[in-house]
Amino acid sequence: MTDDRPRGEAYVQALMEQDRRPVPASLRAAAFDDPGHVAVPPTRYTSRAYHDLEVERLWKRVWQMACREEDIPAVGDHVVYDIADLSLIVVRSGPGRIQAFHNSCLHRGTQLRAASGHADEFRCPFHGFTWHLDGTLARIPCAWDFPEIEPSTFCLPEARVGTWGGFVFVNVDPGSPSLEEYLEILPAHFASWPLEDRWKSAHAVRIVPCNWKVAMEAFIESYHTVAVHPQLLRTTGDTLTEYDIWPGSSHVSRMITPVGMPSEHVERAVTDEEILGLMFLTKDGPQPTEGASARSVIADRIRSGIEAEAGREVPMSDTEAVDAVEYFVFPNFMPWPSYQTPLVYRFRPNGNDPDSAVVDVMLLQPVPASGRPPAMRPRLLEPGETWADVPELGFLGRILNQDSSTFGRIQRGLKASVRPALTLAHYQEARIRHFHTTLQSYVGS
Ligand code: FES
Ligand SMILES: [Fe+2]
């Protein structure tokens, strides 16, 4: 280990060297390719003009996670994926086949499907033009009155579809690179975490009062822990987080926050008993055993809990069990391979409003030996409901509420700013600079 490594990387990699089990090579592949200075003006989060540019140059060009394959298990099951004014019907159109169609009738434009669900065909509610699940024309009422329509070519326009890790991705740009190319190092990194072998045990959706990038950026740094999540400081190495930016990778970044030890912000000694009590919120939880660190006791507890739930062995190192490992896929998707926090986040603009966003939070658990349970359906939180109203999110609900509680103030403050640009930390906010470097390559500055 050399002294010029970032301190978070040096700390986390040293922890992995002490791991009692083999750590996947991808977790040992640390890198900090400094994106350098980038000026991020507050208007990037508040202006309708910048949102409109994002629609044209970003959302119409990037691969986006639309749903899980398990959300549409049967032929005819479909998800309506909306982003700004774009709307796609993502449908299982046949066994082993998923397609995405622009959600607009070829007659006079009516939205074909208003919501996710099941259909045997797509029949427009206005005059009854109908298409098969594969997008080919089924029938037109009074077809004699449309002599110019050639039925064999009057198909629903398609967007591109790709799958990875049990997720369905869509892209409305026919000239974009393939999904495989777009995902860069992600598939190789997830080789030991096949997310297609997990099932969606929670899915909550919340409208939040800020730009989608404000919400998203709150989840790619651990720097805010001291102010937003003070209760986590006794069990989280927030300031010792490893942030990874790989050379040549513009779409993917990562952070690894060590868990099971006190933060550098805590000035007094924190005992192992205290850490274990906090992490399991019970006095009669696991006790530290002679010679075993709190981390290893926690890892054993998490491992045995997950294996009991799954009814099978789920191999994982201590770091995969305990630490918070989060990957980011540009522009708005975050899969976490770690087992205590098996999260997935997605962030979208709410329609064309630059001041609000749609946040999806999911949990992906290993599929039990007894078979794949049905995926949890997305639950849109009502106004007044919070993440803590979703029991499946467990202890994460309170933490997510703390994050969400700052969003409105960030958005309001950005509008009041008289500064030309935000101030960003060199290391702990490097993923935000990396994101904006890539964003600018799509949208311009
Ligand atoms: S608009 Fe769809 S059938 Fe007329
Ligand atoms: Fe947070």
Side-chain angles (χ1 to χ4, degrees), residues 349-380:
N350 182 25
N352 289 304
D353 181 7
D355 295 328
S356 69
V358 183
V359 180
D360 288 69
V361 175
M362 310 172 197
L363 289 175
L364 297 184
Q365 306 285 358
V367 170
S370 53
R372 176 181 284 278
M376 289 295 279
R377 295 191 178 282
R379 169 177 161 193
L380 177 63

Short mmCIF file of all heavy atoms in Angstrom, two decimals, residues 349-380:
data_model
loop_
_atom_site.label_atom_id
_atom_site.label_comp_id
_atom_site.label_asym_id
_atom_site.label_seq_id
_atom_site.Cartn_x
_atom_site.Cartn_y
_atom_site.Cartn_z
N PRO A 349 -36.90 12.58 -13.40
CA PRO A 349 -37.70 13.80 -13.27
C PRO A 349 -39.17 13.43 -13.16
O PRO A 349 -39.61 12.42 -13.72
CB PRO A 349 -37.41 14.56 -14.58
CG PRO A 349 -36.77 13.58 -15.50
CD PRO A 349 -36.21 12.47 -14.69
N ASN A 350 -39.93 14.22 -12.41
CA ASN A 350 -41.37 14.01 -12.29
C ASN A 350 -42.04 14.79 -13.40
O ASN A 350 -42.22 16.00 -13.32
CB ASN A 350 -41.83 14.49 -10.91
CG ASN A 350 -43.32 14.27 -10.69
OD1 ASN A 350 -43.92 13.39 -11.31
ND2 ASN A 350 -43.91 15.05 -9.82
N GLY A 351 -42.37 14.11 -14.49
CA GLY A 351 -42.89 14.81 -15.67
C GLY A 351 -41.85 15.79 -16.17
O GLY A 351 -40.68 15.43 -16.36
N ASN A 352 -42.26 17.03 -16.39
CA ASN A 352 -41.32 18.05 -16.87
C ASN A 352 -41.03 19.09 -15.79
O ASN A 352 -40.60 20.19 -16.09
CB ASN A 352 -41.88 18.73 -18.12
CG ASN A 352 -41.85 17.78 -19.31
OD1 ASN A 352 -40.81 17.25 -19.67
ND2 ASN A 352 -43.02 17.54 -19.90
N ASP A 353 -41.26 18.71 -14.53
CA ASP A 353 -41.05 19.65 -13.43
C ASP A 353 -39.61 19.55 -12.94
O ASP A 353 -39.23 18.52 -12.37
CB ASP A 353 -42.04 19.33 -12.30
CG ASP A 353 -41.89 20.28 -11.13
OD1 ASP A 353 -41.13 21.25 -11.24
OD2 ASP A 353 -42.54 20.02 -10.09
N PRO A 354 -38.78 20.58 -13.14
CA PRO A 354 -37.41 20.48 -12.64
C PRO A 354 -37.34 20.49 -11.11
O PRO A 354 -36.29 20.17 -10.54
CB PRO A 354 -36.72 21.73 -13.22
CG PRO A 354 -37.81 22.67 -13.59
CD PRO A 354 -39.05 21.85 -13.83
N ASP A 355 -38.45 20.83 -10.45
CA ASP A 355 -38.45 20.95 -8.99
C ASP A 355 -39.00 19.72 -8.29
O ASP A 355 -39.19 19.75 -7.07
CB ASP A 355 -39.28 22.17 -8.56
CG ASP A 355 -38.67 23.47 -9.02
OD1 ASP A 355 -37.43 23.54 -9.09
OD2 ASP A 355 -39.44 24.41 -9.31
N SER A 356 -39.28 18.65 -9.02
CA SER A 356 -39.67 17.43 -8.31
C SER A 356 -39.17 16.20 -9.05
O SER A 356 -38.84 16.27 -10.24
CB SER A 356 -41.19 17.37 -8.05
OG SER A 356 -41.90 17.20 -9.23
N ALA A 357 -39.10 15.11 -8.33
CA ALA A 357 -38.49 13.90 -8.87
C ALA A 357 -39.26 12.68 -8.37
O ALA A 357 -39.97 12.74 -7.37
CB ALA A 357 -37.03 13.81 -8.44
N VAL A 358 -39.08 11.58 -9.09
CA VAL A 358 -39.67 10.29 -8.72
C VAL A 358 -38.53 9.38 -8.29
O VAL A 358 -37.61 9.12 -9.08
CB VAL A 358 -40.42 9.65 -9.90
CG1 VAL A 358 -41.10 8.36 -9.48
CG2 VAL A 358 -41.42 10.63 -10.51
N VAL A 359 -38.58 8.92 -7.05
CA VAL A 359 -37.52 8.06 -6.53
C VAL A 359 -38.08 6.66 -6.29
O VAL A 359 -39.08 6.50 -5.60
CB VAL A 359 -36.95 8.62 -5.20
CG1 VAL A 359 -35.85 7.72 -4.67
CG2 VAL A 359 -36.44 10.04 -5.40
N ASP A 360 -37.43 5.68 -6.88
CA ASP A 360 -37.77 4.26 -6.64
C ASP A 360 -36.73 3.65 -5.72
O ASP A 360 -35.52 3.80 -5.96
CB ASP A 360 -37.72 3.45 -7.94
CG ASP A 360 -38.86 3.75 -8.89
OD1 ASP A 360 -38.87 4.87 -9.44
OD2 ASP A 360 -39.72 2.87 -9.10
N VAL A 361 -37.19 2.94 -4.70
CA VAL A 361 -36.29 2.18 -3.82
C VAL A 361 -36.76 0.73 -3.82
O VAL A 361 -37.94 0.46 -3.58
CB VAL A 361 -36.30 2.74 -2.39
CG1 VAL A 361 -35.45 1.87 -1.47
CG2 VAL A 361 -35.79 4.18 -2.37
N MET A 362 -35.84 -0.16 -4.12
CA MET A 362 -36.17 -1.59 -4.13
C MET A 362 -35.18 -2.34 -3.25
O MET A 362 -34.08 -1.86 -2.99
CB MET A 362 -36.06 -2.18 -5.54
CG MET A 362 -36.78 -1.40 -6.59
SD MET A 362 -36.40 -2.04 -8.25
CE MET A 362 -36.95 -0.64 -9.23
N LEU A 363 -35.56 -3.53 -2.82
CA LEU A 363 -34.63 -4.45 -2.17
C LEU A 363 -34.63 -5.75 -2.96
O LEU A 363 -35.70 -6.24 -3.36
CB LEU A 363 -35.06 -4.74 -0.72
CG LEU A 363 -34.90 -3.59 0.27
CD1 LEU A 363 -35.48 -4.00 1.63
CD2 LEU A 363 -33.43 -3.20 0.44
N LEU A 364 -33.43 -6.30 -3.17
CA LEU A 364 -33.30 -7.57 -3.90
C LEU A 364 -32.65 -8.61 -2.99
O LEU A 364 -31.50 -8.47 -2.59
CB LEU A 364 -32.40 -7.38 -5.14
CG LEU A 364 -32.87 -6.43 -6.24
CD1 LEU A 364 -31.88 -6.47 -7.41
CD2 LEU A 364 -34.27 -6.79 -6.72
N GLN A 365 -33.42 -9.63 -2.65
CA GLN A 365 -32.93 -10.70 -1.76
C GLN A 365 -32.62 -11.95 -2.57
O GLN A 365 -33.24 -12.18 -3.62
CB GLN A 365 -34.00 -11.04 -0.72
CG GLN A 365 -34.53 -9.86 0.07
CD GLN A 365 -33.56 -9.35 1.13
OE1 GLN A 365 -32.47 -9.92 1.30
NE2 GLN A 365 -33.91 -8.28 1.81
N PRO A 366 -31.70 -12.78 -2.09
CA PRO A 366 -31.44 -14.05 -2.80
C PRO A 366 -32.72 -14.87 -2.92
O PRO A 366 -33.50 -14.96 -1.99
CB PRO A 366 -30.42 -14.75 -1.89
CG PRO A 366 -29.77 -13.66 -1.11
CD PRO A 366 -30.82 -12.59 -0.93
N VAL A 367 -32.92 -15.46 -4.10
CA VAL A 367 -34.10 -16.31 -4.33
C VAL A 367 -33.99 -17.53 -3.42
O VAL A 367 -32.95 -18.20 -3.40
CB VAL A 367 -34.19 -16.74 -5.80
CG1 VAL A 367 -35.26 -17.81 -5.99
CG2 VAL A 367 -34.50 -15.53 -6.69
N PRO A 368 -35.02 -17.83 -2.63
CA PRO A 368 -34.96 -18.98 -1.73
C PRO A 368 -34.90 -20.31 -2.49
O PRO A 368 -35.34 -20.40 -3.64
CB PRO A 368 -36.28 -18.90 -0.94
CG PRO A 368 -36.88 -17.59 -1.25
CD PRO A 368 -36.28 -17.09 -2.52
N ALA A 369 -34.36 -21.30 -1.80
CA ALA A 369 -34.27 -22.64 -2.39
C ALA A 369 -35.65 -23.15 -2.77
O ALA A 369 -35.81 -23.94 -3.70
CB ALA A 369 -33.60 -23.59 -1.40
N SER A 370 -36.69 -22.68 -2.05
CA SER A 370 -38.05 -23.17 -2.30
C SER A 370 -38.67 -22.57 -3.56
O SER A 370 -39.78 -22.94 -3.94
CB SER A 370 -38.93 -22.83 -1.10
OG SER A 370 -38.82 -21.45 -0.81
N GLY A 371 -37.98 -21.63 -4.19
CA GLY A 371 -38.52 -21.05 -5.43
C GLY A 371 -38.65 -19.54 -5.34
O GLY A 371 -38.59 -18.96 -4.26
N ARG A 372 -38.83 -18.93 -6.51
CA ARG A 372 -38.87 -17.47 -6.59
C ARG A 372 -40.24 -16.95 -6.14
O ARG A 372 -41.25 -17.26 -6.75
CB ARG A 372 -38.61 -17.03 -8.03
CG ARG A 372 -38.71 -15.54 -8.28
CD ARG A 372 -38.48 -15.21 -9.73
NE ARG A 372 -37.07 -15.27 -10.10
CZ ARG A 372 -36.20 -14.29 -9.88
NH1 ARG A 372 -36.58 -13.18 -9.28
NH2 ARG A 372 -34.95 -14.42 -10.25
N PRO A 373 -40.27 -16.14 -5.06
CA PRO A 373 -41.55 -15.53 -4.67
C PRO A 373 -41.94 -14.48 -5.71
O PRO A 373 -41.09 -13.96 -6.42
CB PRO A 373 -41.23 -14.87 -3.32
CG PRO A 373 -39.89 -15.39 -2.91
CD PRO A 373 -39.17 -15.77 -4.17
N PRO A 374 -43.24 -14.16 -5.82
CA PRO A 374 -43.63 -13.09 -6.76
C PRO A 374 -43.00 -11.76 -6.35
O PRO A 374 -42.92 -11.44 -5.15
CB PRO A 374 -45.16 -13.05 -6.63
CG PRO A 374 -45.53 -13.91 -5.49
CD PRO A 374 -44.37 -14.75 -5.11
N ALA A 375 -42.53 -11.00 -7.35
CA ALA A 375 -41.90 -9.72 -7.05
C ALA A 375 -42.91 -8.77 -6.41
O ALA A 375 -44.08 -8.76 -6.80
CB ALA A 375 -41.38 -9.11 -8.36
N MET A 376 -42.45 -8.00 -5.45
CA MET A 376 -43.32 -6.98 -4.86
C MET A 376 -43.67 -5.95 -5.92
O MET A 376 -42.80 -5.51 -6.66
CB MET A 376 -42.63 -6.30 -3.68
CG MET A 376 -42.48 -7.18 -2.47
SD MET A 376 -44.05 -7.66 -1.71
CE MET A 376 -44.39 -6.18 -0.75
N ARG A 377 -44.92 -5.56 -5.95
CA ARG A 377 -45.34 -4.52 -6.90
C ARG A 377 -44.92 -3.15 -6.37
O ARG A 377 -44.87 -2.95 -5.17
CB ARG A 377 -46.85 -4.55 -7.08
CG ARG A 377 -47.34 -5.83 -7.71
CD ARG A 377 -48.80 -5.74 -8.12
NE ARG A 377 -49.21 -6.97 -8.75
CZ ARG A 377 -48.94 -7.29 -10.00
NH1 ARG A 377 -48.24 -6.45 -10.76
NH2 ARG A 377 -49.33 -8.44 -10.51
N PRO A 378 -44.63 -2.21 -7.29
CA PRO A 378 -44.29 -0.88 -6.80
C PRO A 378 -45.45 -0.24 -6.05
O PRO A 378 -46.59 -0.33 -6.49
CB PRO A 378 -43.97 -0.09 -8.09
CG PRO A 378 -44.34 -0.96 -9.23
CD PRO A 378 -44.57 -2.35 -8.74
N ARG A 379 -45.14 0.34 -4.92
CA ARG A 379 -46.17 1.05 -4.14
C ARG A 379 -45.84 2.53 -4.16
O ARG A 379 -44.80 2.94 -3.63
CB ARG A 379 -46.17 0.53 -2.70
CG ARG A 379 -47.00 1.39 -1.77
CD ARG A 379 -47.03 0.81 -0.37
NE ARG A 379 -47.44 1.82 0.58
CZ ARG A 379 -47.32 1.67 1.90
NH1 ARG A 379 -46.80 0.57 2.40
NH2 ARG A 379 -47.70 2.64 2.70
N LEU A 380 -46.71 3.31 -4.80
CA LEU A 380 -46.50 4.76 -4.85
C LEU A 380 -46.97 5.36 -3.54
O LEU A 380 -48.15 5.21 -3.18
CB LEU A 380 -47.26 5.37 -6.04
CG LEU A 380 -47.19 6.89 -6.16
CD1 LEU A 380 -45.76 7.38 -6.40
CD2 LEU A 380 -48.11 7.39 -7.28
#
